Amino acid sequence: MKKVIQRVRDFKLGTTLMLVLLVGIWSIPTIGLLVTAFRTKDSAASSGWWEAIFAPLEQEWSLAAFETVLTRDDMFGSFVNTLVVAVPATVLPIMIAAFAAYAFTFIEFRGREIYFAVVVALMVVPLQAALVPVVRGLRAIKEATGISLIGSFPGAWLMHAAFALPLAIYILRNYMMTLPMALIEAARIDGASWYQIFWKLVMPMSVPALASFAIFQFLWVWNDYLIAFIFVDSKPVMTYRLLRLLGQYGDGWQDVAAGSFISLIVPLVVFFALQRFFVRGLTAGSVK
Amino acid sequence: MPIAETLRTADIHVAPASVRLDAVGKSFGKAGQSVDVLTNISLEVAAGEVVVLLGPSGCGKSTLLRLIAGLETATVGSVTIDGHEVTGIDTRCGVVFQEPRLFPWKSIEDNVVVGARGARSSETVAALLAAVGLSGFEKHLPRQVSGGMAQRAALARGLAGFPGVLLLDEPFAALDALTRLTMQDLLLDVAQETGATVVLVTHDIDEALHLADRIVVLGERGQGIAEIVTVDHPRPRDRSHPGLAPLRDELLARFGIHP
Ligand SMILES: Nc1ncnc2c1ncn2[C@@H]1O[C@H](COP(=O)(O)OP(=O)(O)O)[C@@H](O)[C@H]1O
Ligand SMILES: [Mg+2]
């Protein structure tokens, strides 16, 4: 009861109206997609989806679009490909960044500040600018050693990991700086090695930052087109498929909408499952 | 079963270790504007001896303990344990910090097990928990027990490793008067039974008189050791023994209180 009264007291009309408005505006395209995905080709072409919402009974609804993208366009295969790219491309940089941030935070070694400054500075290098030199480098490696990273999943993993690392290290180090040094001291006195302190203390205490960065990176990779296009064109990911669907307007909007919706499922699940980390984690460690 | 007996049955002995401070000084801050917290501290603590540090707050008592444990490095001078110089964190030392410093996600019992460094039997851990009056709270998390209980758990954790040198920083400060007396006797039992060397910081003159072989009185910050008082009374000591009264008066007078 007290809680309810508190809620009522905290209610701010202006803020609430603004939020509802923003949520509405941001949701419109998604709702449009959802409605369109369940329409037939003819009705999707003849009337707008908003008309379908207001006159749902005069419409023809169907699952045909889903059937089409799943069979003709092998959207499920692409779903798997995207997953195969995204999971390692998320785990890999987080693992490396956690080790690096740990060293930058707790272990004293020569040149620590300089190395860290270099890592942070690397954040400003855009992926697109570095792409051509990197691909040339990988070609040279292939010619020299026969190991080809282009056209392979490991190549995509490495690219994503490499470009995620500076931000990941930066966020994780800022977070680890706020961890209680006293506990780490106590553990050291009790004979814990640096390795044990990392796994038993620092990692468990860093879960919010790790989780929020994981979500961030996962969603980024999931929606990536460029790297997937260059590195795994023989195993088309979903963004690649969707782009091709867009080129086939003749088949109707409903196919694109259904495909988009399939690709939306995982980000939605990830976000709603982990959103409490998302809000807490990204701000934690960034504000003093 | 009292703790002394448990330890005897478990046959726990530690490698006796002496502690030696040689003209140790410690300053904090950048060169030019640094503050000398400790200057010219020379002290020898024999293996198995109990030394109590007494002094006004901010005079560097905690810093001195941290130097012995290797948690800080001396600016000048050297610290040696058993003839070997202390360079990094020294696992021959066990530390009970001024705050409990328990791992918040581990149970009281698991915290003590961490202090036991994996080597000791579960009976010893259980005996220690019983000795600090925490039987029945083994599975509680630190935030579920009171401050005094957390401090006792920290004491058990510090004792559980049976280190050669036990460093305790105001370990009983958060305890009620009665529990404090029990814990003092527990510490003496463990130290005597295992032969550990003890360096303990306190504000409590009576506590110092009850525990110490020698009391080291530190002056104001940066002024070094003011006085070393030898307490030559046989153990177990009677807290109200009239023979302790002159020492108590002397110490009180040092701190500006005239009885
Ligand atoms: N890491 C540190 N950096 C700077 N100053 C410190 C540090 N640790 C302790 N000091 C200073 O050293 C002095 C003594 O501290 P401390 O040893 O904790 O005193 P005590 O335990 O006797 O109360 C205090 O003035 C404190 O501010
Ligand atoms: Mg102190």
Side-chain angles (χ1 to χ4, degrees), chain B residues 57-58 60-63 98 169-170 201 203:
Chain B
S57 68
K61 304 181 296 293
S62 298
T63 306
Q98 211 165 337
D169 198 348
E170 303 184 30
V201 170
H203 277 134

Side-chain angles (χ1 to χ4, degrees), chain A residues 116-130:
Chain A
F116 188 67
V118 170
V119 168
V120 173
L122 282 175
M123 277 198 286
V124 304
V125 178
L127 178 84
Q128 293 82 350

Side-chain angles (χ1 to χ4, degrees), chain B residues 11-40:
Chain B
D11 201 25
I12 288 168
H13 287 281
V14 300
S18 59
V19 177
R20 188 189 160 92
L21 298 152
D22 245 328
V24 169
K26 177 70 185 172
S27 320
F28 286 109
K30 290 196 188 93
Q33 46 183 335
S34 68
V35 180
D36 299 333
V37 173
L38 294 170
T39 47
N40 197 25

